[in-house]
Amino acid sequence: MDSESTNTKILIFGGTGYIGKYMVKASVSFGYKTFVYTRPISEETTPSKLELINEFRAIGVTIIQGELEEHEKIVSVLGGVDVVISALAYPQVLDQLKIIDAIKVAGNIKRFLPSDFGCDEDRVSPLAPFEAFLEKKRRIRRETEAAGIPYTFVSANCFGAYFVNFLLRPHQQGDDIFVYGTGEAKAVLNYEEDIAKWTIKVANDPRTCNRVVTYRPQSNIISQLELISLWEQKTGKSFKRFHIPEEELVKQSETLPHPENIRIAILHSLFAKGETMNFELGEEDIEASKLYTDFEFTTIDQLLEIFLLNPPKPAAAAFE
């Protein structure tokens, strides 16, 4: 890494969240001066968040406590950094408008990466509950472009560890696995640590400025049925597959209360329709594994080995 890169300062919003914490650690591992803007510590702050903040401080991360409503404070913080990454979770998607407003005032940010990190919202057409969510992300993209802020939009597709845990339920003792749709649609499952490292790479890469970068390594493209079969080979077990038909998923997306309807619509989009793989990448598209050919990313096979050695605890509520 050259001296200009090592002098780059990266600010991460949502750095104590699910994907954000991986990005903070990746940024530090690449030698960047790293800042995290987070809600002020209070009596309501969870012990796990306190522990994470202390861990960040121990590895040299600068913690800045503040609210997203503190416009002048954010502008001041932005004046001392070069790159802004937002990893804010779903409920705060439109709160990124406050970050965009502050970036416009600061006027010095070399790159902004809004909180995408899922499917490419400009290339999918999901069921209504998920569509409404993605429309908010599209608005953030369009506002960023209109403001003339240098950006990189990231389509990381599916969080691998999260969805392997969700689909296979490796922490449970039963032999039943739910399959959404036929189970034959392909999806892209990328390990969270790799998503974070790729994101830090693209954030300071001139080739990715004002571009969309897709994370779609060939070995991480897999169907639910293929995933289950691979898991059976590794565990020596035989699992009973219970299919939830696509029409049932559509019905549930229309009848379940919020936010359960969004969860069902996401499952329909990713695993019944296979929308992360429903379009071809052309010559003008940027795909991360081709951009960084020397990067040793974690394959699905390797990810299942991690789960085999360290069975995860039950996941928290899905799709937060």
Side-chain angles (χ1 to χ4, degrees):
M1 188 177 292
D2 57 36
S3 59
E4 182 179 354
S5 297
T6 55
N7 289 331
T8 298
K9 298 178 178 63
I10 296 179
L11 171 66
I12 300 175
F13 289 86
T16 60
Y18 179 75
I19 195 64
K21 63 180 179 291
Y22 292 104
M23 293 184 185
V24 172
K25 294 175 183 178
S27 179
V28 172
S29 73
F30 282 125
Y32 294 115
K33 180 64 177 175
T34 306
F35 302 77
V36 170
Y37 191 93
T38 186
R39 286 193 181 103
I41 295 173
S42 67
E43 293 181 354
E44 285 74 38
T45 303
T46 63
S48 60
K49 181 174 179 178
L50 287 173
E51 183 179 348
L52 185 59
I53 288 174
N54 289 333
E55 181 183 350
F56 285 166
R57 284 175 171 153
I59 59 176
V61 176
T62 300
I63 303 296
I64 302 165
Q65 299 182 49
E67 302 286 355
L68 290 173
E69 290 73 21
E70 296 183 76
H71 175 75
E72 292 183 1
K73 182 171 188 175
I74 295 176
V75 171
S76 176
V77 172
L78 292 175
V81 302
D82 306 291
V83 172
V84 176
I85 298 174
S86 172
L88 294 175
Y90 157 65
Q92 295 180 285
V93 169
L94 291 183
D95 284 340
Q96 293 177 107
L97 293 171
K98 299 167 186 173
I99 299 174
I100 292 171
D101 287 342
I103 290 175
K104 289 191 290 187
V105 174
N108 63 292
I109 297 304
K110 298 176 182 177
R111 195 76 60 87
F112 174 49
L113 284 73
S115 188
D116 272 4
F117 309 118
C119 61
D120 189 338
E121 55 263 33
D122 287 330
R123 302 176 87 161
V124 300
S125 300
L127 297 175
F130 191 23
E131 171 66 20
F133 165 43
L134 292 184
E135 186 55 37
K136 294 178 181 179
K137 289 197 168 189
R138 292 189 195 107
R139 180 180 175 189
I140 297 301
R141 282 191 175 189
R142 304 294 86 83
E143 293 283 350
T144 300
E145 293 167 338
I149 299 169
Y151 66 83
T152 299
F153 299 147
V154 168
S155 173
N157 292 301
C158 304
F159 293 162
Y162 178 87
F163 276 106
V164 165
N165 188 16
F166 182 84
L167 294 171
L168 299 180
R169 309 285 184 181
H171 55 275
Q172 295 181 353
Q173 299 301 314
D175 294 328
D176 300 341
I177 292 182
F178 288 106
V179 178
Y180 302 94
T182 66
E184 297 174 348
K186 302 284 189 176
V188 189
L189 305 182
N190 293 313
Y191 189 30
E192 285 82 341
E193 289 188 14
D194 293 346
I195 289 173
K197 291 174 183 177
W198 268 334
T199 299
I200 300 303
K201 280 179 172 287
V202 304
N204 201 38
D205 189 332
R207 297 172 296 176
T208 64
C209 187
N210 295 338
R211 302 293 299 277
V212 178
V213 182
T214 301
Y215 300 173
R216 193 196 275 189
Q218 191 64 36
S219 64
N220 286 22
I221 300 169
I222 195 167
S223 71
Q224 292 177 81
L225 294 181
E226 290 169 338
L227 182 67
I228 295 168
S229 294
L230 188 56
W231 188 237
E232 287 176 329
Q233 293 173 28
K234 290 186 176 298
T235 60
K237 295 181 179 180
S238 180
F239 295 96
K240 188 178 297 183
R241 296 147 175 79
F242 286 93
H243 288 258
I244 302 177
E246 183 176 352
E247 54 268 26
E248 177 61 24
L249 295 172
V250 173
K251 180 180 177 181
Q252 289 185 24
S253 77
E254 296 169 344
T255 57
L256 287 175
H258 179 87
E260 287 85 354
N261 59 341
I262 298 178
R263 178 176 69 87
I264 292 297
I266 291 174
L267 291 172
H268 175 268
S269 173
L270 299 181
F271 301 113
K273 287 184 66 178
E275 287 205 296
T276 60
M277 287 298 299
N278 271 0
F279 58 91
E280 296 292 331
L281 295 178
E283 292 183 2
E284 295 301 313
D285 289 303
I286 299 178
E287 198 281 306
S289 67
K290 292 183 173 63
L291 191 63
Y292 306 113
T293 56
D294 59 340
F295 184 88
E296 295 184 4
F297 58 85
T298 308
T299 65
I300 290 294
D301 188 82
Q302 292 169 331
L303 182 54
L304 291 185
E305 288 290 339
I306 294 172
F307 271 70
L308 196 61
L309 293 172
N310 300 290
K313 296 178 181 179
F319 317 110
E320 295 178 340

